[in-house]
Amino acid sequence: MEDGHICNPNFDENIGLFAVFDGHGGLECAKFCEKFFEPKLKEQPDYQSRKDIGKALESTFLGLDRILMTPRGMELMIQISKEHPN
């Protein structure tokens, strides 16, 4: 299966987090999001203040996208591919 997912009913106080990340033909990106989405979301100022959860979700996706375009992001993708061989 090429999807990643989060099923965390206890993400935060009175907040659950559920997500499916479709691999669209590649497992690494979906698993990357599965692994890093939760901590990145909790870092967002809009999430911490509960000011704008929608903006916090958007900022999280954009932040993960930026990470993927760095050398460190590529290292993480290689590591994930080794952890989940086809």
Side-chain angles (χ1 to χ4, degrees), residues 55-86:
K55 184 167 173 47
L57 290 167
E58 180 180 355
S59 296
T60 300
F61 276 112
L62 293 173
L64 291 177
D65 197 43
R66 282 190 295 275
I67 292 169
L68 285 170
M69 294 185 196
T70 66
R72 177 66 179 139
M74 291 304 297
E75 290 173 12
L76 291 167
M77 295 290 274
I78 291 167
Q79 178 183 342
I80 289 168
S81 70
K82 289 177 181 176
E83 293 169 1
H84 302 277
N86 293 340

